[in-house]
Amino acid sequence: MGSNLLVNYESVTAVILFGIGFTNLLLQKNLIKKIIGLNIMDTAVYLLLATQGYIEGRMAPIIVNGNTDPSLYINPVPSGLVLTGIVVSVSVSALMLALTIRLYKRYHTLNLDEILRHIQKEGH
Amino acid sequence: MDFIRNFPFFSIIICMFSGIITSVLSGKKARNLCIGAVSIVTILSACVLFYTMQTNVSFIYMMGHFPAPWGNEIRAGILEGVLATVFSLILLLSLVSAYHRTEEDIEATKLNLFYLLIDLLLSSLLAIIYTNDLFTAYVFVEINTIAACGLIMIRQKGRTFGAALRYMVMSLIGSGLFLIGLSLLYTLTGHLLMSPAKEAMAKIIATDSYHMPVLIVLVLMSIGLAIKSGLYPFHSWMPDAYSYSTASASAVLSGLVSKAYIILLIKIIYRVVGIDFIVTSKMMNVLFVFGLVGMIMGSLNAILEKDIRRMIAYSSVAQIGYIYMGIGLGVEQGYVAAVYHILHHAATKALLFISVVGLSNVSGGSKLFPDLRGAGYRHRSAGVAFAVGSFSMVGLPTLSGFISKYLFATAAMSASPKKVFLTLVVLAVSTILNAIYFIHTVVTIYTPAEEEKPEFERHHWREKPWVAFSLLLFIALNFALGVFSQPIVDLITRGLQMFG
């Protein structure tokens, strides 16, 4: 069982990174660190996708010299997915950062616990 | 007639374009454009429903004319038609019946952005309902999250920023899990389109070569979508998000947004993994147990609440529990009941959120029970609407809630014996708990106030006839779902058969 880990070291790295990002997003008190966790988590998924699409010894899927034999090229779909995913995660990060700026302006702290305490005190 | 095949795509693109145009319009024009666009989408979705009812097969619309397994597809059948029609109708009614409140709550310069977000939300809801492609579904799930977060924080008063932050963090955790599940699924099957992925999946399951990875994919996707839709232990963002945003937004968020993720989960179960594997895996039991716990805990929390909107928000937690319980039963009728409950809850919860606005407006803007005494007399149309919504939630016959509880109970009969017992007991307990807080609230708003406070106002329906009319339509929708339940359940059953 353990023997597969070394062969698929990229996937293992991706899963470890995903775990780091996920726990940061979930447990960090600091909002900026939370967002960094989010980005690590998303990037880990893109690493997984990119490595799954790459086949060793093959070329980028751009036809050269009219050679259309698919066994020469790697799978381009995961790269496309990574691009789309990056766009999604950029927009989500931007939204989170904007929200953080708003919260910081109002409560003068980035600590989530303190912000929630302020909000609790504020009432309705 | 074949022209109707374009309508699903048209309805998505109409919403997007009207959103783009909305961004440069003033508030009032933006509202009219948005309401117009949503009305058109409702009509187009109804056409899709009638077309698929007549042909009795689901049709595939190729995006960009690349055939499967490479292109991107829209697939529409009866179930998609029903969902799209009811969802856009409810969105339309929620917009019209609380537009005056929206204009009070949101700064005039930002009003067009509210309608932009509504357009974006509807287009992403429709895309999630119609799409046949896993990655497209993911992208629109994220668009849906962004639009929903915007709708929460566009009312810049009170706790909305905190609510938006909590909502965003939970949603991002959910979509992260969903995304990695999706990537693993892609590496297993090699397809992103759902139908070819199902063929590959059937081969994998038949040879039993990747049992553990398939299970992990299933767990990641179900948990991710469960977090996003607010299943019980992940519900912490719901009360704040639903009770501090503006009324139309809360109606839409609790009625439609959280349901879209459940529909996506049902779609993945039916169209990718296959229902047989789901039943043999233990994954559904987990959702079943969480659903049961949610049904009880949501209602208990709602009983303890003193704020009427937070009470309704907690009731949503319980209703999401009902839906997951239906999915977790692992039988065909369970899914029918779950889909019916999605429709019932969308109609009823939107009605409740909208009518509460009327009640609290005539009570000096307060949402606490002591101040709401006699509000049903001061604002008669909202009072009646709230009473109908509450009775429907409790499950009075002829209303939609009764039918959905009946469907859950009959579906449980064909599940395994342990589940039959658990479902029936929890269903009974949860109905009693529902009755406690909803009947109590109805009694409160119809108990005459002890003293007339100066901030109390009286509202006559002629002041805002549109609001009264759309509340009436909401009530009619609730009765229609209850009275014509048999044809609707038949439609859902037929829809689910062609869904896979």
Side-chain angles (χ1 to χ4, degrees):
Chain A
M1 187 177 169
S3 60
N4 289 338
L5 289 180
L6 268 180
V7 184
N8 296 319
Y9 66 95
E10 304 103 329
S11 313
V12 176
T13 320
V15 170
I16 292 171
L17 277 176
F18 185 86
I20 294 172
F22 185 80
T23 34
N24 268 309
L25 176 61
L26 196 60
L27 302 177
Q28 277 290 353
K29 297 284 169 232
N30 187 310
L31 287 179
I32 298 290
K33 287 184 185 166
K34 251 190 190 335
I35 298 171
I36 293 173
L38 161 73
N39 283 320
I40 294 175
M41 185 175 86
D42 282 347
T43 315
V45 181
Y46 307 143
L47 176 65
L48 181 77
L49 272 172
T51 54
Q52 299 296 336
Y54 181 70
I55 305 166
E56 198 140 10
R58 297 199 190 171
M59 293 187 291
I62 298 166
I63 295 172
V64 191
N65 304 332
N67 211 335
T68 51
D69 181 10
S71 68
L72 288 172
Y73 303 112
I74 63 161
N75 183 358
V77 177
S79 320
L81 299 187
V82 170
L83 278 179
T84 320
I86 287 173
V87 173
V88 170
S89 81
V90 162
S91 45
V92 173
S93 313
L95 181 65
M96 276 294 276
L97 286 168
L99 192 55
T100 309
I101 293 172
R102 272 305 174 92
L103 284 165
Y104 186 77
K105 273 189 181 157
R106 187 182 280 193
Y107 302 110
H108 306 290
T109 172
L110 286 173
N111 187 318
L112 185 62
D113 284 351
E114 276 182 38
I115 291 175
L116 290 179
R117 229 182 354 257
H118 279 295
I119 290 174
Q120 218 55 272
K121 255 189 264 169
E122 233 174 38
H124 308 289
Chain B
M1 280 297 270
D2 279 348
F3 186 67
I4 292 180
R5 285 166 176 253
N6 295 306
F7 282 6
F9 171 68
F10 284 172
S11 38
I12 296 171
I13 212 77
I14 283 174
C15 291
M16 291 213 157
F17 270 117
S18 97
I20 294 170
I21 299 167
T22 303
S23 62
V24 294
L25 292 180
S26 67
K28 206 159 226 172
K29 280 182 192 155
R31 183 188 78 209
N32 294 341
L33 178 69
C34 180
I35 288 175
V38 178
S39 320
I40 293 171
V41 167
T42 313
I43 295 165
L44 291 183
S45 310
C47 291
V48 172
L49 174 61
F50 281 115
Y51 178 75
T52 47
M53 270 165 72
Q54 254 144 35
T55 55
N56 218 1
V57 282
S58 58
F59 63 84
I60 284 172
Y61 178 82
M62 281 191 289
M63 303 285 293
H65 297 282
F66 286 108
W70 292 288
N72 199 339
E73 283 176 359
I74 278 175
R75 182 169 153 178
I78 291 179
L79 188 64
E80 287 92 330
V82 171
L83 289 169
T85 313
V86 174
F87 277 20
S88 38
L89 183 64
I90 288 170
L91 184 71
L92 180 65
L93 291 179
S94 323
L95 278 184
V96 175
S97 56
Y99 75 91
H100 55 290
R101 184 72 202 198
T102 312
E103 280 158 23
E104 282 167 32
D105 279 341
I106 297 169
E107 292 169 35
T109 49
K110 294 210 168 77
L111 203 55
N112 59 340
L113 296 181
F114 176 81
Y115 291 106
L116 191 158
L117 287 170
I118 290 279
D119 280 326
L120 200 58
L121 190 83
L122 182 60
S123 76
S124 62
L125 280 175
L126 291 171
I128 292 172
I129 291 173
Y130 284 131
T131 185
N132 198 21
D133 182 279
L134 282 164
F135 205 78
T136 311
Y138 165 73
V139 172
F140 279 99
V141 160
E142 289 290 35
I143 294 177
N144 203 357
T145 308
I146 292 173
C149 182
L151 283 178
I152 296 171
M153 64 190 204
I154 199 159
R155 177 173 183 256
Q156 304 189 338
K157 292 172 199 158
R159 302 191 192 178
T160 47
F161 284 131
L165 185 73
R166 278 190 182 183
Y167 175 74
M168 221 34 209
V169 170
M170 287 314 272
S171 284
L172 291 176
I173 288 169
S175 38
L177 289 176
F178 180 70
L179 178 61
I180 197 159
L182 185 74
S183 314
L184 289 173
L185 184 71
Y186 176 64
T187 59
L188 283 175
T189 60
H191 290 289
L192 286 169
L193 277 182
M194 294 186 187
S195 317
K198 189 177 186 181
E199 284 166 26
M201 196 57 126
K203 271 182 211 155
I204 290 171
I205 292 169
T207 55
D208 203 28
S209 43
Y210 289 103
H211 185 75
M212 203 59 193
V214 173
L215 211 57
I216 288 173
V217 165
L218 198 57
V219 169
L220 286 171
M221 286 186 149
S222 325
I223 299 295
L225 290 171
I227 291 176
K228 285 182 84 81
S229 53
L231 184 59
Y232 169 64
F234 316 113
H235 70 288
S236 57
W237 52 270
M238 277 169 105
D240 279 358
Y242 293 170
S243 49
Y244 299 111
S245 46
T246 182
S248 303
S250 347
V252 171
L253 284 171
S254 85
L256 310 180
V257 172
S258 54
K259 305 301 173 335
Y261 307 125
I262 301 176
I263 291 161
L264 183 58
L265 180 63
I266 295 178
K267 197 179 246 187
I268 287 169
I269 289 171
Y270 265 78
R271 226 177 254 179
V272 181
V273 186
I275 195 161
D276 299 330
F277 181 76
I278 296 286
V279 174
T280 51
S281 79
K282 299 281 183 288
M283 185 55 218
M284 287 301 111
N285 297 353
V286 177
L287 289 183
F288 178 72
V289 171
F290 279 132
L292 290 183
V293 176
M295 284 162 70
I296 301 290
M297 294 308 289
S299 300
L300 285 178
N301 278 319
I303 290 176
L304 296 175
E305 270 306 329
K306 306 229 167 0
D307 178 326
I308 189 166
R309 276 180 81 178
R310 286 179 71 90
M311 181 198 87
I312 302 174
Y314 270 116
S315 149
S316 290
V317 178
Q319 305 304 319
I320 296 284
Y322 274 87
I323 298 170
Y324 274 101
M325 179 200 75
I327 293 173
L329 281 172
V331 289
E332 189 93 28
Q333 294 98 314
Y335 288 91
V336 175
V339 174
Y340 185 86
H341 199 82
I342 288 175
L343 300 179
H344 147 67
H345 183 238
T348 313
K349 201 40 74 66
L351 171 66
L352 284 174
F353 271 118
I354 297 291
S355 57
V356 161
V357 171
L359 295 179
S360 88
N361 266 359
V362 291
S363 312
S366 170
K367 294 183 287 177
L368 302 175
F369 288 123
D371 301 326
L372 285 170
R373 280 212 182 150
Y377 296 113
R378 296 194 291 274
H379 193 317
R380 284 178 194 273
S381 52
V384 171
F386 187 84
V388 170
S390 304
F391 291 144
S392 177
M393 276 289 158
V394 175
L396 237 59
T398 72
L399 286 160
S400 52
F402 172 74
I403 304 295
S404 91
K405 288 200 167 88
Y406 169 77
L407 286 174
F408 277 123
T410 44
M413 287 305 170
S414 41
S416 62
K418 271 182 204 158
K419 281 186 180 173
V420 176
F421 178 70
L422 271 173
T423 314
L424 293 182
V425 169
V426 175
L427 209 56
V429 172
S430 154
T431 306
I432 294 168
L433 294 176
N434 273 346
I436 290 175
Y437 60 87
F438 273 121
I439 301 295
H440 168 251
T441 316
V442 173
V443 170
T444 307
I445 64 168
Y446 278 111
T447 311
E450 282 150 13
E451 45 175 339
E452 280 285 319
K453 290 183 189 163
E455 68 264 27
F456 283 180
E457 295 163 24
R458 281 185 184 276
H459 178 88
H460 199 271
W461 67 270
R462 281 199 201 93
E463 290 170 32
K464 292 192 179 73
W466 275 106
V467 174
F469 182 63
S470 47
L471 279 178
L472 195 68
L473 277 181
F474 252 132
I475 295 172
L477 185 65
N478 260 294
F479 273 107
L481 280 174
V483 175
F484 302 108
S485 60
Q486 199 51 47
I488 294 168
V489 171
D490 286 345
L491 272 186
I492 294 172
T493 319
R494 272 165 65 197
L496 275 174
Q497 274 160 6
M498 65 174 77
F499 202 53

